[in-house]
Amino acid sequence: MKRFVLKQKKAAAEASKVAGAQQQSTIAASAAAFESPDAEAIKSVPTSEKDMDNCALLTLAALNVTDARIELLKRHIMSVDEVSYEEAEQTFEKIEQANRKGLFAHTIPYKLGIGASLIAAFASFPLCFHEPTVQYFNLNFVTADIPEAKDLETALEVGSWAWNW
């Protein structure tokens, strides 16, 4: 039993030596990786989507980067239609124009909703704090009891009365 324990200790010591050596080599490699880049390395860095390889584009497209998705579509057009990049760009522009056709008509409900909410927001101030407007609204729509004149001297008092409806 003693021999078995000694063998395990010896194996553990050797494994830790190997791990320590590997860790030191990893640290040295990491230090080498953080050296300042040279001019050639800087020139090879892609500056636009056109310069990127397909793997980088797929990664960016998966992260919802629109320009990367556009570039992938252009490359797909090149592949399927077997055309040059310039012709693929023209095809993409046609697709983009067709895609935007009718966009205004489809967004009218949203624009009307935003406009109506803005009108309602700005109309709420005089309907709450402007005494003549509140009196008119009360007379024609609410018919609540009108407080004494001394309770309607300021806009905040008018607002307090209007909010009590």
Side-chain angles (χ1 to χ4, degrees), residues 53-65 68 72:
D53 63 341
N54 291 336
C55 184
L57 278 175
L58 282 171
T59 303
L60 290 173
L63 295 172
N64 291 330
V65 176
L72 277 176

Side-chain angles (χ1 to χ4, degrees), residues 76-152:
H76 183 72
I77 293 169
M78 287 176 64
S79 170
V80 171
D81 294 350
E82 297 178 357
V83 294
S84 67
Y85 188 81
E86 290 76 22
E87 291 175 15
E89 281 185 319
Q90 291 172 356
T91 304
F92 174 77
E93 287 175 12
K94 290 177 187 174
I95 293 171
E96 188 177 28
Q97 288 173 356
N99 191 26
R100 295 193 184 275
K101 211 177 243 185
L103 184 64
F104 180 78
H106 290 293
T107 58
I108 286 176
Y110 302 107
K111 293 174 184 175
L112 289 175
I114 291 169
S117 65
L118 287 173
I119 290 170
F122 286 109
S124 68
F125 288 102
L127 284 171
C128 287
F129 301 108
H130 185 245
E131 185 179 357
T133 307
V134 172
Q135 292 276 8
Y136 173 81
F137 193 80
N138 180 45
L139 179 68
N140 293 308
F141 300 105
V142 180
T143 65
D145 293 335
I146 300 172
E148 297 176 20
K150 68 176 184 160
D151 291 335
L152 297 176

